[in-house]
């Protein structure tokens, strides 16, 4: 290292040396570093890692490096393709620059570390890089940190949909619930959207699957039945109860509020009780909320019936056997029909085709 050449202190350009450095002033100062070949440096094939004895061609490439003080830094590097006796013409292997990267390895590592604590958008603005470049670096960082998903021991799956943004745009996530690990994420929530995952899993992997937990998405169920012949579809408690809350408790609350439109005080009590009715009693902390809930249910028979039958519906997942779950279902469905509450009766009718998947949850 020469102390007469400050740029050599930076290092990090194995096989190359600094030939020229320019600082360009402007609204955003820039430093340009022009590299040349280091005499005697070995030529290594990026394909097989073996030494090569000839250069096939040279192409000048400009890449970004870590900023130097206040200046955005660019490196002009003559990128060589070597003539490898085993692989043919291949790029030269460099420790500080990936094969087709437009940023140096050390800049990519700095971007990755910052992505671990900040959103991609903010990191891109900080380094003045395109969002897609930073996203690609972060994706690579996560793949290295988490390793590719391993499917050989997966026997149970759980799948769910989630909203990407407003406007009913969804994606699907598939996880291994036993190891609590995400296996796959894909856009959409239809059968065709799920097929790439099962293609990735392979025929042998599909045949290993014993059970798949999901919400009441018919597209998911049909694709699982078609691709995983030994799998049992299981409808999980959380999604069914959440659906009950939306389609029964919310509907009954609105209907009761409309029925009480001439009693403004009573109507306000019912209208403002949505979150109280949707919560499980054991999660209610404040004593005044317990009192308010008890008074509301005591004063309104329809809300009381819908609320109590929600808790009884959970017993289907606690049954000791599929047969016990089916017996519990018939008892619950009879109560739903006898309630004469339209929303509750409709829900019971719609839920019946999913009984096998509910009974399998034990």
């Amino acid at each position: 290292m020469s102390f007469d050449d400050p740029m050599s202190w930076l290092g990090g350009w194995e096989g190359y040396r600094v030939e020229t450095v320019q600082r360009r002033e402007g609204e955003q100062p820039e430093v340009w570093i022009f590299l040349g070949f280091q005499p005697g440096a070995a030529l290594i094939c990026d394909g097989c890692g073996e030494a090569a004895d000839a250069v096939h061609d040279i192409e000048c490439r400009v890449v970004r490096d870590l900023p130097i003080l206040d200046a955005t830094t660019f490196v002009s590097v003559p990128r060589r393709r070597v003539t490898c006796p085993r692989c043919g013409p291949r790029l030269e292997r460099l420790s500080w620059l990936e094969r087709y990267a437009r940023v140096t390895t050390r800049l990519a590592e700095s971007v990755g570390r910052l992505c671990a604590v900040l959103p991609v958008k903010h990191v891109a603005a900080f380094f003045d890089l395109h969002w897609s470049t930073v996203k690609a670096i972060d994706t690579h960082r996560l793949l290295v940190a988490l390793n590719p998903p391993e499917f050989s021991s997966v026997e149970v799956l759980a799948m769910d949909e989630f909203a990407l943004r407003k406007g009913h745009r969804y994606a699907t996530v598939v996880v291994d619930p036993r190891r609590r690990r995400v296996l796959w994420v894909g856009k959409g929530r239809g059968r065709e959207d799920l097929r790439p995952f099962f293609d990735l899993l392979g025929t042998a992997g599909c045949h290993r699957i014993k059970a798949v937990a999901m919400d009441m998405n018919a597209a998911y169920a049909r694709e699982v039945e078609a691709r995983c012949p030994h799998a049992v579809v299981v409808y999980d408690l959380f999604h069914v109860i959440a659906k009950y809350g939306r389609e029964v408790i919310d509907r009954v609350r609105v209907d009761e509020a409309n029925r009480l439109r001439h009693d403004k005080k009573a109507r306000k009590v019912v209208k403002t009780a949505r979150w109280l009715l949707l919560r499980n009693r054991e999660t209610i902390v404040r004593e005044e909320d317990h009192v308010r809930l008890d008074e509301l249910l005591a004063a309104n028979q329809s809300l009381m019936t819908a609320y109590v039958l929600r808790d009884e519906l959970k017993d289907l997942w606690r049954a000791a056997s599929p047969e016990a779950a089916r017996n519990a279902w018939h008892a619950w469905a009879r109560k739903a029909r006898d309630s004469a509450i339209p929303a509750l009766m409709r829900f019971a009718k719609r839920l019946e085709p999913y009984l096998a998947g509910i009974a399998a949850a034990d």
Side-chain angles (χ1 to χ4, degrees):
M1 178 186 298
S2 171
F3 289 95
D4 296 326
D5 178 12
M7 291 309 301
S8 67
W9 300 356
L10 297 176
W13 298 300
E14 181 185 359
Y16 290 78
R17 64 183 181 186
V18 177
E19 292 192 338
T20 309
V21 178
Q22 297 178 0
R23 179 180 172 89
R24 302 175 182 178
E25 300 295 345
E27 185 177 344
Q28 173 58 53
E30 296 178 355
V31 167
W32 282 75
I33 302 171
F34 296 87
L35 301 181
F37 303 121
Q38 184 73 42
L43 297 172
I44 304 299
C45 172
D46 196 37
C48 63
E50 298 293 330
D53 55 6
V55 175
H56 183 269
D57 58 28
I58 300 173
E59 179 185 44
C60 188
R61 181 181 299 181
V62 176
V63 298
R64 285 280 301 276
D65 198 7
L66 283 170
I68 296 177
L69 299 177
D70 63 333
T72 302
T73 302
F74 298 89
V75 179
S76 176
V77 51
R79 201 73 164 94
R80 293 179 286 204
R81 279 203 304 167
V82 301
T83 302
C84 176
R86 180 179 298 180
C87 305
R90 296 294 292 266
L91 279 173
E92 174 189 13
R93 176 174 294 181
L94 299 178
S95 61
W96 54 276
L97 184 63
E98 294 290 339
R99 185 177 298 176
Y100 301 113
R102 292 295 180 178
V103 299
T104 61
T105 299
R106 60 187 175 192
L107 175 55
E109 289 173 349
S110 295
V111 169
R113 285 195 295 270
L114 207 54
C115 283
V117 294
L118 287 175
V120 169
K121 178 180 178 181
H122 294 173
V123 178
F126 180 80
F127 284 104
D128 192 25
L129 292 169
H130 195 279
W131 182 91
S132 62
T133 300
V134 176
K135 182 64 177 177
I137 292 172
D138 189 40
T139 299
H140 178 71
R141 174 187 69 86
L142 291 172
L143 287 173
V144 171
L146 298 176
N147 299 318
E150 196 275 315
F151 296 130
S152 63
S153 60
V154 176
E155 295 182 342
V156 177
L157 299 173
M159 53 184 62
D160 196 9
E161 63 189 46
F162 62 93
L164 290 173
R165 59 181 69 88
K166 292 182 179 179
H168 301 288
R169 300 190 66 177
Y170 294 90
T172 295
V173 59
V174 181
V175 303
D176 178 351
R178 289 178 174 172
R179 291 186 293 176
R180 298 183 180 182
R181 183 171 184 182
V182 174
L183 299 176
W184 181 83
V185 178
K187 289 184 179 180
R189 54 178 178 175
R191 285 190 66 175
E192 65 282 359
D193 301 312
L194 195 57
R195 284 169 190 161
F197 167 72
F198 289 115
D199 293 339
L200 186 64
L201 193 59
T203 302
C206 289
H207 282 254
R208 273 196 307 272
I209 302 302
K210 297 178 179 178
V212 183
M214 63 180 71
D215 63 7
M216 293 188 292
N217 184 324
Y220 287 171
R222 286 195 294 268
E223 191 62 18
V224 168
E225 290 166 358
R227 301 296 292 270
C228 303
H230 307 302
V232 175
V233 172
V234 179
Y235 297 110
D236 67 273
L237 169 66
F238 172 81
H239 284 99
V240 176
I241 296 303
K243 191 175 181 69
Y244 183 94
R246 294 190 301 270
E247 296 185 6
V248 179
I249 290 182
D250 251 4
R251 184 69 259 169
V252 172
R253 181 185 60 85
V254 171
D255 290 343
E256 289 301 297
N258 290 337
R259 186 178 64 82
L260 295 168
R261 59 184 175 274
H262 299 301
D263 186 342
K264 292 185 178 181
K265 184 176 180 180
R267 184 171 186 268
K268 182 178 179 181
V269 170
V270 172
K271 280 193 68 175
T272 58
R274 182 172 190 261
W275 294 113
L276 190 59
L277 290 166
L278 292 178
R279 291 180 65 183
N280 294 320
R281 186 179 287 273
E282 58 269 20
T283 65
I284 299 175
V285 177
R286 299 193 307 173
E287 182 61 31
E288 56 266 36
D289 286 337
H290 278 281
V291 172
R292 182 185 170 202
L293 177 62
D294 290 338
E295 290 178 348
L296 175 64
L297 296 178
N300 193 294
Q301 183 61 45
S302 294
L303 284 175
M304 169 68 86
T305 300
Y307 191 86
V308 170
L309 284 187
R310 183 191 65 176
D311 288 341
E312 291 186 8
L313 183 61
K314 297 176 185 178
D315 292 338
L316 272 66
W317 281 265
R318 305 185 185 112
S321 66
E323 183 180 1
R326 284 190 289 270
N327 291 336
W329 159 258
H330 292 306
W332 186 90
R334 184 168 57 253
K335 292 178 182 179
R337 289 192 299 270
D338 293 344
S339 72
I341 299 174
L344 186 51
M345 296 167 68
R346 282 195 302 270
F347 186 84
K349 186 175 181 180
R350 291 173 181 169
L351 191 61
E352 188 167 11
Y354 300 95
L355 177 59
I358 294 173
D362 72 293

